[in-house]
Amino acid sequence: MLGTHDLWLFILSGLLLNMTPGVDTLYIVGRSSTQGFRAGFFAALGIGTGCLVHIFATTIGLSALLATSAMAFSIIKSIGAAYLIYIGITILRSTQTPLHVKTKTGHQTLKNIFWQGFLTNMLNPKVALFFLAFLPQFVDIASNNKALSMLFLGILFDINGTVWNIIVAWLSMVFISKLQAHHTFALWFNRSIGALFLALGIKLLHEEL
């Protein structure tokens, strides 16, 4: 289909990769657990939109630049790591728990959550390198338009990933809603998510190229 092969294997591999907890999952869980499903939903949409940037970048060759240019990779990595650290500190300092869900989720807040999710994904160079390494494996060598084939695979991966992230947002909301009577536990759970974000940002910042 559209110059691809082993599409079933691509879909299966993509789903398994999306189910592996990472930065995106932590962000969605953190937002959904503090501000409810709508916040997690918008976080998932933001991450999915950020993913599209990498998909189009891979298609036109920007990801190849990141793979071969140490300076470009270093700059993008540093910006992304700094943003992860910022998100981690923000969550750590937050005093919100599920008890505040109905009073703290205005339109502007959801808009900010969307853009934070977008930037969290877009500024992660590992996502670009992942698509560069993963997508070509399922493009037919005889394809007349390999760029279109990669674009198709990327969008399919993003749709599946976004659906999974929305499920994660809902599960996070359900899990935390059962802990509303345990305000202290919920608060420390959210802070642990912030600490993980902070640790990931520091790790990415110091990781060897």
Side-chain angles (χ1 to χ4, degrees):
M1 181 182 293
L2 291 180
T4 65
H5 64 85
D6 295 324
L7 190 60
W8 68 271
L9 181 58
F10 173 82
I11 294 174
L12 178 60
S13 301
L15 287 173
L16 291 175
L17 286 168
N18 282 315
M19 290 179 184
T20 303
V23 173
D24 293 345
T25 302
L26 289 175
Y27 180 70
I28 292 168
V29 170
R31 291 308 182 193
S32 188
S33 63
T34 57
Q35 296 172 262
F37 172 71
R38 290 182 68 199
F41 179 82
F42 273 79
L45 291 184
I47 288 169
T49 305
C51 194
L52 285 176
V53 174
H54 293 293
I55 292 168
F56 283 108
T58 298
T59 303
I60 64 176
L62 178 58
S63 293
L65 171 64
L66 292 178
T68 57
S69 172
M71 180 176 293
F73 185 88
S74 179
I75 292 173
I76 297 298
K77 185 185 76 168
S78 298
I79 294 174
Y83 196 76
L84 286 177
I85 292 172
Y86 166 76
I87 294 295
I89 292 174
T90 299
I91 295 176
L92 278 172
R93 295 181 61 187
S94 174
T95 59
Q96 285 186 308
T97 70
L99 298 174
H100 299 93
V101 169
K102 294 183 179 180
T103 60
K104 295 293 184 178
T105 50
H107 175 74
Q108 184 64 31
T109 300
L110 295 177
K111 179 179 179 181
N112 289 340
I113 289 171
F114 173 88
W115 285 112
Q116 285 183 347
F118 173 81
L119 291 173
T120 296
N121 189 279
M122 190 191 72
L123 295 176
N124 187 351
K126 286 187 175 181
V127 178
L129 296 177
F130 163 75
F131 281 119
L132 179 65
F134 187 63
L135 297 183
Q137 297 183 40
F138 297 91
V139 174
D140 193 332
I141 193 171
S143 173
N144 294 325
N145 193 332
K146 293 182 176 59
L148 181 61
S149 300
M150 292 180 65
L151 182 61
F152 165 72
L153 290 172
I155 291 175
L156 181 60
F157 180 92
D158 194 27
I159 291 173
N160 291 336
T162 300
V163 170
W164 169 250
N165 285 335
I166 291 173
I167 293 174
V168 168
W170 180 78
L171 290 174
S172 300
M173 181 272 298
V174 170
F175 172 71
I176 290 297
S177 67
K178 297 182 182 301
L179 300 174
Q180 289 190 7
H182 305 282
H183 181 89
T184 301
F185 180 87
L187 182 61
W188 280 103
F189 174 81
N190 297 328
R191 286 178 176 173
S192 69
I193 296 294
L196 285 172
F197 251 95
L198 186 61
L200 283 170
I202 294 173
K203 180 179 182 296
L204 181 60
L205 192 62
H206 290 88
E207 193 173 65
E208 293 183 5
L209 297 179

